[in-house]
Amino acid sequence: MKVAYPCMALHGGVDQYDRDSVIVDFKNGACKLLVATSVAARGLDVKHLILVVNYDCPNHYEDYVHRCGRTGRAGNKGWAYTFVTPEQERQAGDVIKAMEMSGAPVPDDLMQLWVSFKDRMKSEGKRVKGASGFGGHGFKFDETEQQLATDRRKLQKAALGLQDSDDEEGAVDIDQQIEDMFASKKTVKDVAVPVSMNIQPGGAVAPVPSIPSASATQKLELAKRMATKINIAKNLGDQAQDMTQQLATAVMSGGRIAGPTVSAKSIAQQMADRIHAKLNYTKTDEKPESEEQMETLKRYELELEINDFPQTCRWRVTSKEALEQICEYSEAGITVRGTFCLPNKEAPAGERKLYLAIESTNERSLAIAKSEVTRLIKEELVRLQNSYQYQPAQKNRYKVLA
């Protein structure tokens, strides 16, 4: 006031509209000095804020950390000064704890103030708590629950595209987390396929109609001529003659008439050939398949491990409907293989953990199938994080004594 420094105020008695206006002006640099209470300790992210002065020492550790955390953000340097009076010797322990955990040197005067306070409390028969903060005997997080809560918050922010200014760590890439859990393994194999087989997109195999070559056509005509001569000589086929016709032919040609030497099998064959001629039926003899020329194609295989994902995620990607839709869309084949194993447990000897095997003859189908599997798992993870199904069960507060 004496030197006429322009400043703004921020406290709990200010309306929300005025609070937003003050914060915007302070961030834009319209006013470079802000006097605030602990209302500004959280949620205020101002770039290039280099100085924080705690005129009144915070009365617990968390408040001190968040106040000083307004400066030195995103890799920038910052300074925080705290005034501690002899009457505030009780709060000196929190300041010392924060400085020791951050690796900052502790001033001797501050350490002496804290030691003298502990000695005086000990002489009076009072116990000094090692850390202050919000007390009470309600629910408390352990390390596992705290980690789950942190992961849930980060996953929600990543899914919604938000970033908390109080979160010092970088934004979590949910796609990268899923990729790390997949531990994908890609292989390329050479497969020998007959030339007469047509490989369609996605690995489907269809026969190719064969076109006879010129030499094959000539050989076929020659075989037909030889068969006709043999049928005439043996009195078989369409030109076969019965006994009366044979006798008439022999009389007209003046040849010798021989006794009938036709067997029952020949008569049956002649009758069958006549019926075939009336029905215009041509008998085709099946010939053994000859050795076809082979060609080598590449088959791409991708393995995605899904054993460590939550149960609902595994159910989502291994359901029959989901697999059919992915296979139809990507034109790739997907198979569920392996055995489910509990977390931190090894798979039985000779077996593998649960995984998806994706097979195709081109890499594009493989990439489409993987992206669809990733999308389904991501949607299910976000749904779990937004519900209470993924929260750990609270331990019982009471126990029964025998």
Side-chain angles (χ1 to χ4, degrees), residues 326-343:
I326 296 176
C327 292
E328 182 179 359
Y329 175 67
S330 64
E331 298 182 345
I334 304 179
T335 309
V336 182
R337 299 177 182 175
T339 306
F340 172 72
C341 301
L342 295 175

PDB file of all heavy atoms in Angstrom, residues 326-343:
ATOM      1  N   ILE A 326     -15.257 -58.671 -35.428  1.00  0.00           N
ATOM      2  CA  ILE A 326     -13.891 -58.251 -35.748  1.00  0.00           C
ATOM      3  C   ILE A 326     -13.370 -59.011 -36.963  1.00  0.00           C
ATOM      4  O   ILE A 326     -12.724 -58.435 -37.858  1.00  0.00           O
ATOM      5  CB  ILE A 326     -12.970 -58.460 -34.535  1.00  0.00           C
ATOM      6  CG1 ILE A 326     -13.407 -57.560 -33.370  1.00  0.00           C
ATOM      7  CG2 ILE A 326     -11.522 -58.154 -34.894  1.00  0.00           C
ATOM      8  CD1 ILE A 326     -12.616 -57.780 -32.097  1.00  0.00           C
ATOM      9  N   CYS A 327     -13.634 -60.313 -37.027  1.00  0.00           N
ATOM     10  CA  CYS A 327     -13.170 -61.117 -38.168  1.00  0.00           C
ATOM     11  C   CYS A 327     -13.821 -60.651 -39.464  1.00  0.00           C
ATOM     12  O   CYS A 327     -13.159 -60.567 -40.507  1.00  0.00           O
ATOM     13  CB  CYS A 327     -13.459 -62.590 -37.919  1.00  0.00           C
ATOM     14  SG  CYS A 327     -12.488 -63.336 -36.588  1.00  0.00           S
ATOM     15  N   GLU A 328     -15.111 -60.332 -39.415  1.00  0.00           N
ATOM     16  CA  GLU A 328     -15.801 -59.878 -40.618  1.00  0.00           C
ATOM     17  C   GLU A 328     -15.312 -58.511 -41.057  1.00  0.00           C
ATOM     18  O   GLU A 328     -15.173 -58.242 -42.255  1.00  0.00           O
ATOM     19  CB  GLU A 328     -17.302 -59.837 -40.351  1.00  0.00           C
ATOM     20  CG  GLU A 328     -18.132 -59.427 -41.561  1.00  0.00           C
ATOM     21  CD  GLU A 328     -19.619 -59.419 -41.263  1.00  0.00           C
ATOM     22  OE1 GLU A 328     -19.989 -59.750 -40.109  1.00  0.00           O
ATOM     23  OE2 GLU A 328     -20.400 -59.086 -42.174  1.00  0.00           O
ATOM     24  N   TYR A 329     -15.022 -57.640 -40.103  1.00  0.00           N
ATOM     25  CA  TYR A 329     -14.595 -56.285 -40.436  1.00  0.00           C
ATOM     26  C   TYR A 329     -13.147 -56.244 -40.923  1.00  0.00           C
ATOM     27  O   TYR A 329     -12.817 -55.540 -41.881  1.00  0.00           O
ATOM     28  CB  TYR A 329     -14.782 -55.378 -39.216  1.00  0.00           C
ATOM     29  CG  TYR A 329     -14.264 -53.970 -39.412  1.00  0.00           C
ATOM     30  CD1 TYR A 329     -14.864 -53.109 -40.321  1.00  0.00           C
ATOM     31  CD2 TYR A 329     -13.174 -53.503 -38.683  1.00  0.00           C
ATOM     32  CE1 TYR A 329     -14.389 -51.823 -40.506  1.00  0.00           C
ATOM     33  CE2 TYR A 329     -12.695 -52.217 -38.852  1.00  0.00           C
ATOM     34  CZ  TYR A 329     -13.312 -51.376 -39.770  1.00  0.00           C
ATOM     35  OH  TYR A 329     -12.837 -50.122 -39.957  1.00  0.00           O
ATOM     36  N   SER A 330     -12.280 -56.988 -40.273  1.00  0.00           N
ATOM     37  CA  SER A 330     -10.852 -56.941 -40.592  1.00  0.00           C
ATOM     38  C   SER A 330     -10.420 -57.981 -41.607  1.00  0.00           C
ATOM     39  O   SER A 330      -9.310 -57.904 -42.129  1.00  0.00           O
ATOM     40  CB  SER A 330     -10.024 -57.118 -39.308  1.00  0.00           C
ATOM     41  OG  SER A 330     -10.238 -58.394 -38.755  1.00  0.00           O
ATOM     42  N   GLU A 331     -11.282 -58.989 -41.881  1.00  0.00           N
ATOM     43  CA  GLU A 331     -10.936 -60.085 -42.790  1.00  0.00           C
ATOM     44  C   GLU A 331      -9.709 -60.843 -42.290  1.00  0.00           C
ATOM     45  O   GLU A 331      -8.857 -61.274 -43.062  1.00  0.00           O
ATOM     46  CB  GLU A 331     -10.698 -59.566 -44.206  1.00  0.00           C
ATOM     47  CG  GLU A 331     -11.913 -58.919 -44.832  1.00  0.00           C
ATOM     48  CD  GLU A 331     -11.664 -58.455 -46.249  1.00  0.00           C
ATOM     49  OE1 GLU A 331     -10.485 -58.373 -46.635  1.00  0.00           O
ATOM     50  OE2 GLU A 331     -12.635 -58.176 -46.961  1.00  0.00           O
ATOM     51  N   ALA A 332      -9.605 -60.998 -40.988  1.00  0.00           N
ATOM     52  CA  ALA A 332      -8.525 -61.762 -40.367  1.00  0.00           C
ATOM     53  C   ALA A 332      -9.140 -62.824 -39.460  1.00  0.00           C
ATOM     54  O   ALA A 332     -10.275 -62.693 -39.008  1.00  0.00           O
ATOM     55  CB  ALA A 332      -7.593 -60.847 -39.560  1.00  0.00           C
ATOM     56  N   GLY A 333      -8.368 -63.881 -39.211  1.00  0.00           N
ATOM     57  CA  GLY A 333      -8.827 -64.937 -38.320  1.00  0.00           C
ATOM     58  C   GLY A 333      -8.318 -64.730 -36.907  1.00  0.00           C
ATOM     59  O   GLY A 333      -7.145 -64.423 -36.698  1.00  0.00           O
ATOM     60  N   ILE A 334      -9.198 -64.866 -35.892  1.00  0.00           N
ATOM     61  CA  ILE A 334      -8.829 -64.660 -34.489  1.00  0.00           C
ATOM     62  C   ILE A 334      -9.187 -65.914 -33.712  1.00  0.00           C
ATOM     63  O   ILE A 334     -10.295 -66.430 -33.817  1.00  0.00           O
ATOM     64  CB  ILE A 334      -9.540 -63.441 -33.876  1.00  0.00           C
ATOM     65  CG1 ILE A 334      -9.241 -62.183 -34.706  1.00  0.00           C
ATOM     66  CG2 ILE A 334      -9.119 -63.226 -32.430  1.00  0.00           C
ATOM     67  CD1 ILE A 334      -9.933 -60.943 -34.183  1.00  0.00           C
ATOM     68  N   THR A 335      -8.233 -66.392 -32.913  1.00  0.00           N
ATOM     69  CA  THR A 335      -8.429 -67.588 -32.105  1.00  0.00           C
ATOM     70  C   THR A 335      -8.011 -67.291 -30.671  1.00  0.00           C
ATOM     71  O   THR A 335      -6.992 -66.630 -30.437  1.00  0.00           O
ATOM     72  CB  THR A 335      -7.594 -68.764 -32.644  1.00  0.00           C
ATOM     73  OG1 THR A 335      -7.838 -68.907 -34.046  1.00  0.00           O
ATOM     74  CG2 THR A 335      -7.955 -70.048 -31.935  1.00  0.00           C
ATOM     75  N   VAL A 336      -8.806 -67.765 -29.695  1.00  0.00           N
ATOM     76  CA  VAL A 336      -8.470 -67.623 -28.272  1.00  0.00           C
ATOM     77  C   VAL A 336      -7.651 -68.847 -27.862  1.00  0.00           C
ATOM     78  O   VAL A 336      -8.109 -69.985 -27.994  1.00  0.00           O
ATOM     79  CB  VAL A 336      -9.738 -67.506 -27.414  1.00  0.00           C
ATOM     80  CG1 VAL A 336      -9.371 -67.317 -25.945  1.00  0.00           C
ATOM     81  CG2 VAL A 336     -10.605 -66.350 -27.895  1.00  0.00           C
ATOM     82  N   ARG A 337      -6.462 -68.606 -27.362  1.00  0.00           N
ATOM     83  CA  ARG A 337      -5.570 -69.692 -26.991  1.00  0.00           C
ATOM     84  C   ARG A 337      -5.013 -69.446 -25.591  1.00  0.00           C
ATOM     85  O   ARG A 337      -5.108 -68.358 -25.040  1.00  0.00           O
ATOM     86  CB  ARG A 337      -4.414 -69.820 -27.994  1.00  0.00           C
ATOM     87  CG  ARG A 337      -4.858 -70.131 -29.420  1.00  0.00           C
ATOM     88  CD  ARG A 337      -3.679 -70.178 -30.366  1.00  0.00           C
ATOM     89  NE  ARG A 337      -4.099 -70.432 -31.738  1.00  0.00           N
ATOM     90  CZ  ARG A 337      -3.280 -70.423 -32.787  1.00  0.00           C
ATOM     91  NH1 ARG A 337      -1.996 -70.181 -32.603  1.00  0.00           N
ATOM     92  NH2 ARG A 337      -3.746 -70.660 -33.998  1.00  0.00           N
ATOM     93  N   GLY A 338      -4.390 -70.464 -25.037  1.00  0.00           N
ATOM     94  CA  GLY A 338      -3.765 -70.359 -23.732  1.00  0.00           C
ATOM     95  C   GLY A 338      -4.729 -70.644 -22.594  1.00  0.00           C
ATOM     96  O   GLY A 338      -5.909 -70.963 -22.794  1.00  0.00           O
ATOM     97  N   THR A 339      -4.232 -70.496 -21.381  1.00  0.00           N
ATOM     98  CA  THR A 339      -4.988 -70.766 -20.159  1.00  0.00           C
ATOM     99  C   THR A 339      -4.903 -69.552 -19.244  1.00  0.00           C
ATOM    100  O   THR A 339      -3.834 -68.956 -19.098  1.00  0.00           O
ATOM    101  CB  THR A 339      -4.435 -72.002 -19.434  1.00  0.00           C
ATOM    102  OG1 THR A 339      -4.399 -73.102 -20.333  1.00  0.00           O
ATOM    103  CG2 THR A 339      -5.289 -72.360 -18.228  1.00  0.00           C
ATOM    104  N   PHE A 340      -6.031 -69.196 -18.637  1.00  0.00           N
ATOM    105  CA  PHE A 340      -6.017 -68.056 -17.723  1.00  0.00           C
ATOM    106  C   PHE A 340      -5.250 -68.411 -16.449  1.00  0.00           C
ATOM    107  O   PHE A 340      -5.437 -69.472 -15.856  1.00  0.00           O
ATOM    108  CB  PHE A 340      -7.442 -67.643 -17.365  1.00  0.00           C
ATOM    109  CG  PHE A 340      -7.499 -66.601 -16.279  1.00  0.00           C
ATOM    110  CD1 PHE A 340      -7.110 -65.298 -16.527  1.00  0.00           C
ATOM    111  CD2 PHE A 340      -7.918 -66.934 -15.001  1.00  0.00           C
ATOM    112  CE1 PHE A 340      -7.161 -64.336 -15.534  1.00  0.00           C
ATOM    113  CE2 PHE A 340      -7.967 -65.983 -14.003  1.00  0.00           C
ATOM    114  CZ  PHE A 340      -7.585 -64.687 -14.269  1.00  0.00           C
ATOM    115  N   CYS A 341      -4.387 -67.492 -16.033  1.00  0.00           N
ATOM    116  CA  CYS A 341      -3.601 -67.656 -14.806  1.00  0.00           C
ATOM    117  C   CYS A 341      -3.846 -66.450 -13.906  1.00  0.00           C
ATOM    118  O   CYS A 341      -3.999 -65.320 -14.382  1.00  0.00           O
ATOM    119  CB  CYS A 341      -2.107 -67.773 -15.132  1.00  0.00           C
ATOM    120  SG  CYS A 341      -1.697 -69.147 -16.228  1.00  0.00           S
ATOM    121  N   LEU A 342      -3.879 -66.685 -12.622  1.00  0.00           N
ATOM    122  CA  LEU A 342      -4.074 -65.603 -11.665  1.00  0.00           C
ATOM    123  C   LEU A 342      -2.901 -64.630 -11.730  1.00  0.00           C
ATOM    124  O   LEU A 342      -1.796 -65.000 -12.140  1.00  0.00           O
ATOM    125  CB  LEU A 342      -4.219 -66.168 -10.251  1.00  0.00           C
ATOM    126  CG  LEU A 342      -5.458 -67.041 -10.007  1.00  0.00           C
ATOM    127  CD1 LEU A 342      -5.409 -67.625  -8.605  1.00  0.00           C
ATOM    128  CD2 LEU A 342      -6.738 -66.246 -10.209  1.00  0.00           C
ATOM    129  N   PRO A 343      -3.134 -63.363 -11.331  1.00  0.00           N
ATOM    130  CA  PRO A 343      -2.038 -62.390 -11.366  1.00  0.00           C
ATOM    131  C   PRO A 343      -0.846 -62.867 -10.536  1.00  0.00           C
ATOM    132  O   PRO A 343      -0.994 -63.507  -9.495  1.00  0.00           O
ATOM    133  CB  PRO A 343      -2.670 -61.127 -10.764  1.00  0.00           C
ATOM    134  CG  PRO A 343      -4.134 -61.286 -11.014  1.00  0.00           C
ATOM    135  CD  PRO A 343      -4.408 -62.752 -10.917  1.00  0.00           C
TER     136      PRO A 343
END
